[in-house]
Amino acid sequence: MERKISVPDMHCEACVKRIENALRAAQLNFTVSLEEKTVTVDGCENCLNTAIAELEDLGFTPTAM
């Protein structure tokens, strides 16, 4: 199941790379859209919570959609 996370403070490619590196390290299946300012996580509720925690650790303000 795909779950979207809004990341309104993702502004540039450097942000995207930081997010991608963190979510890869957490072994999540995901896609990042700078245009939409979203991260889409493929997986269960636990995967969503892990992604949100990783984004918060990076200093972003994620919100599940």
Side-chain angles (χ1 to χ4, degrees):
M1 171 181 256
E2 289 189 344
R3 299 165 185 271
K4 276 196 175 185
I5 303 168
S6 173
V7 189
D9 43 1
M10 175 174 38
H11 298 293
C12 63
E13 284 298 323
C15 295
V16 171
K17 292 295 177 196
R18 288 178 56 220
I19 291 169
E20 289 175 339
N21 290 339
L23 298 183
R24 263 192 219 105
Q27 299 181 342
L28 297 172
N29 294 322
F30 64 92
T31 56
V32 179
S33 172
L34 180 57
E35 284 182 1
E36 295 179 8
K37 296 184 185 267
T38 60
V39 173
T40 303
V41 179
D42 188 20
C44 63
E45 187 73 24
N46 189 45
C47 295
L48 176 69
N49 293 335
T50 299
I52 288 173
E54 290 291 332
L55 291 165
E56 289 173 340
D57 287 348
L58 292 173
F60 294 102
T61 53
T63 305
M65 299 173 68

